[in-house]
Amino acid sequence: MSKSQTQEKSTDKEVVRSHDLPDGGWGWFVLLGSFIFTLLIPAIGPCFGILFYDPLLEMGANSTLTAWIFNLNNLIINFSMPLSGSLAKEFGWRTIAFASAIITTLSLVLSAFVSTPGYFIFCFSILNGLGSGMAFTCAFMMPPQYFDKHLGKAQSTICMGISVGQLIAPPFIRYLQIEYGFRCATIIIGGIMLHCCVGASLFQPAERHWINKVTPLLPKPQPPPSVARRKASLFMSTEVMSGAGSLVTGINDPRDAQEETKSCNNNRLCSVMIEVGRNMIRSVTALKTPKVVILCLCGTITINSLINFYVFIPFALESAGYSLSDGATCISVGGLGALVTRIIMAPISDRPWFNQRLVYSTGNVVMSLSVLGFTFMGSIWLKYAMMIVFGVGLGMNTTFYLCIMVKYVGLDDLTEVNGASGICVGIGFIILGPLLGMIRDASGSYVLALCIVSALLFLPVLMFLLMPKPQEEEEEEEEQQGYKENA
């Protein structure tokens, strides 16, 4: 069971305060709140091409503009994550979760009235990116504050929420559009996102549920009675003087209190911005070792490629003569494949014989081959089959990305390396996404663009061959070498 210890000084003794994570209790309700977030928020990304298909055609947006709108949204999602952590230190995770739910809802409601690319970029790319990034951070950062032994199950449950959302959202969105049209359907979806406030209400501060322990240490030597009386007298006089001063200030000049409050708020805002800057600097400096660079590049290429593949699906099927409902079904069955894979992998992933690195790389191979199959298969049923296979590879790859990161860099550097990965992924969205859009516009066909996506998904497999040994193996070799030298 995870423990945290702090030393606190009092006037007569020193104590060690420790706490155990509850590993249950209210943590299950927190997990339910995180599941609500991951069920709703991530479903918008894969459904972007379905949700905004009609307004993009009405605006005459080409593939390059569509890629810029979508990938700018993902850039802001990744860059808003460090901001969320710093804001949570000042205002609490529940406050940030409520704010993210409201911002996401507002962005979708405003997007229902989209008419120009600039307005679309503001409503979806910026507002939705900010709200979604904050929501992702809250959903994944709350369970580790409540769970220790059951943390693996908790994280698997959160990831299953993403798959369930991807399974349900595409046909549901298409149904709303057929019944009510684009504008009403988008407003309804925005209203559904407001249910994240229910999940946010469950994010109670973890300190309320920690199991606190107090261990007294050796008592300090007491001062003589005369010295203690003098200290107590001085303390009381100081308190009385300060209390009287504040009372007089509150009565005679209320403007000073307002200025003091405003100054405190400004200081809190400045501290948040300074903390965000420090987090960004620490994340960038983590890219100084080859294994961190390879990890970040593998994550960047994989995530950018698979998400842009989802955006291409409805447009590629429409150009081949299929309907938008067929595109929704493709995305949905892909989510089904990922869900089943994650359910199967969860109970066996911690077994000694299970090779997470091999499964991670195999997932890239499966996704790469399934994209090629989807591109050249003529029957819609064969395309459905390829999307199920793609979902299997997606579940194999993305489930173990964080685990692979822990194996190679260790827990001490995980926060900085994860931040560096987020920055690289965000930058990749404004490079790879628009580049794929320009390739499609230049060639006039989705076949070439999808073939490049397939090649990009296979590239991390080759990059992993250049990967140095994981930190765990390096430490074991150092220990063995030390034993040999001592012998």
Side-chain angles (χ1 to χ4, degrees):
M1 189 171 287
S2 178
K3 297 182 179 179
S4 175
Q5 294 186 343
T6 57
Q7 289 189 355
E8 296 184 358
K9 295 183 178 180
S10 61
T11 56
D12 57 346
K13 63 180 180 180
E14 187 175 5
V15 299
V16 175
R17 298 188 181 275
S18 64
H19 64 263
D20 293 340
L21 301 184
D23 249 332
W26 189 260
W28 298 116
F29 290 96
V30 172
L31 186 60
L32 175 61
S34 296
F35 184 85
I36 293 174
F37 271 87
T38 56
L39 178 69
L40 298 177
I41 301 294
I44 299 299
C47 298
F48 172 81
I50 298 172
L51 183 60
F52 299 108
Y53 182 86
D54 292 334
L56 288 171
L57 289 183
E58 292 176 1
M59 290 187 296
N62 55 18
S63 298
T64 304
L65 177 58
T66 302
W68 269 109
I69 294 172
F70 177 74
N71 287 278
L72 183 59
N73 170 268
N74 286 278
L75 170 69
I76 296 176
I77 286 175
N78 284 274
F79 273 76
S80 63
M81 290 180 180
L83 175 64
S84 305
S86 301
L87 289 173
K89 292 181 181 179
E90 292 292 329
F91 305 105
W93 286 108
R94 181 160 55 179
T95 303
I96 303 304
F98 271 114
S100 68
I102 294 172
I103 292 173
T104 304
T105 299
L106 180 63
S107 69
L108 289 174
V109 172
L110 292 177
S111 297
F113 304 93
V114 62
S115 58
T116 61
Y119 179 80
F120 199 6
I121 290 174
F122 170 75
C123 294
F124 181 78
S125 300
I126 298 177
L127 279 185
N128 186 268
L130 179 62
S132 298
M134 295 167 63
F136 285 143
T137 308
C138 295
F140 282 96
M141 292 303 296
M142 284 301 298
Q145 302 179 40
Y146 282 86
F147 291 95
D148 178 27
K149 291 187 296 184
H150 301 301
L151 181 58
K153 296 179 181 177
Q155 297 287 24
S156 298
T157 303
I158 296 174
C159 291
M160 288 178 190
I162 299 175
S163 299
V164 173
Q166 184 182 338
L167 174 65
I168 298 174
F172 179 69
I173 290 174
R174 189 59 191 148
Y175 167 77
L176 291 177
Q177 289 178 336
I178 294 174
E179 292 293 326
Y180 305 105
F182 163 74
R183 181 165 297 177
C184 291
T186 307
I187 293 175
I188 292 173
I189 294 168
I192 293 174
M193 293 297 161
L194 199 59
H195 286 79
C196 289
C197 291
V198 178
S201 66
L202 301 176
F203 291 164
Q204 292 187 2
E207 294 83 358
R208 296 183 185 179
H209 303 276
W210 284 345
I211 305 172
N212 294 318
K213 297 180 179 180
V214 179
T215 305
L217 298 181
L218 293 176
K220 290 185 176 181
Q222 300 293 329
S226 59
V227 176
R229 283 194 298 270
R230 286 197 299 271
K231 287 184 176 180
S233 176
L234 178 60
F235 175 77
M236 291 177 63
S237 62
T238 304
E239 288 292 309
V240 171
M241 290 290 290
S242 61
S246 61
L247 180 61
V248 172
T249 302
I251 294 175
N252 292 337
D253 196 357
R255 290 176 297 179
D256 292 342
Q258 295 177 359
E259 292 178 359
E260 184 177 355
T261 302
K262 185 183 297 184
S263 176
C264 292
N265 293 332
N266 292 334
N267 291 335
R268 294 180 69 183
L269 181 60
C270 291
S271 64
V272 169
M273 301 310 297
I274 292 173
E275 183 65 21
V276 171
R278 290 175 178 174
N279 290 339
M280 298 289 285
I281 293 174
R282 284 194 292 265
S283 298
V284 172
T285 55
L287 294 169
K288 59 186 177 182
T289 59
K291 57 185 176 183
V292 175
V293 173
I294 294 176
L295 278 173
C296 292
L297 287 177
C298 289
T300 299
I301 294 172
T302 301
I303 295 173
N304 276 266
S305 300
L306 67 90
I307 290 183
N308 280 280
F309 171 61
Y310 276 123
V311 176
F312 279 142
I313 287 175
F315 298 99
L317 290 177
E318 190 273 338
S319 65
Y322 297 102
S323 66
L324 194 59
S325 298
D326 293 330
T329 304
C330 283
I331 297 174
S332 182
V333 297
L336 176 62
L339 175 62
V340 173
T341 303
R342 283 167 174 157
I343 292 175
I344 295 174
M345 294 291 181
I348 64 174
S349 59
D350 294 328
R351 300 293 178 88
W353 50 266
F354 190 86
N355 192 329
Q356 294 181 350
R357 284 173 288 174
L358 178 61
V359 173
Y360 174 82
S361 297
T362 305
N364 277 95
V365 176
V366 172
M367 286 190 292
S368 176
L369 295 177
S370 61
V371 170
L372 278 180
F374 176 87
T375 303
F376 294 104
M377 292 294 181
S379 172
I380 188 62
W381 293 102
L382 293 177
K383 291 183 182 293
Y384 291 161
M386 289 295 101
M387 285 305 302
I388 294 176
V389 175
F390 180 85
V392 171
L394 174 65
M396 296 171 65
N397 181 273
T398 57
T399 303
F400 299 109
Y401 179 60
L402 190 62
C403 299
I404 298 297
M405 193 178 293
V406 172
K407 287 183 178 293
Y408 275 96
V409 303
L411 287 173
D412 294 337
D413 298 328
L414 179 61
T415 302
E416 288 76 13
V417 174
N418 190 39
S421 177
I423 293 173
C424 292
V425 171
I427 294 175
F429 274 117
I430 60 173
I431 297 176
L432 291 179
L435 180 61
L436 290 171
M438 288 187 290
I439 291 173
R440 188 271 158 195
D441 289 336
S443 63
S445 172
Y446 286 96
V447 173
L448 179 59
L450 291 177
C451 289
I452 293 176
V453 169
S454 175
L456 289 174
L457 286 170
F458 189 79
L459 184 60
V461 179
L462 302 178
M463 296 177 65
F464 246 81
L465 298 177
L466 305 175
M467 194 68 159
K469 293 182 179 180
Q471 184 175 3
E472 295 177 354
E473 296 182 6
E474 291 179 355
E475 292 175 353
E476 291 177 359
E477 290 183 357
E478 290 177 359
E479 291 179 0
Q480 295 176 358
Q481 185 67 23
Y483 291 148
K484 293 180 180 179
E485 291 178 355
N486 291 334

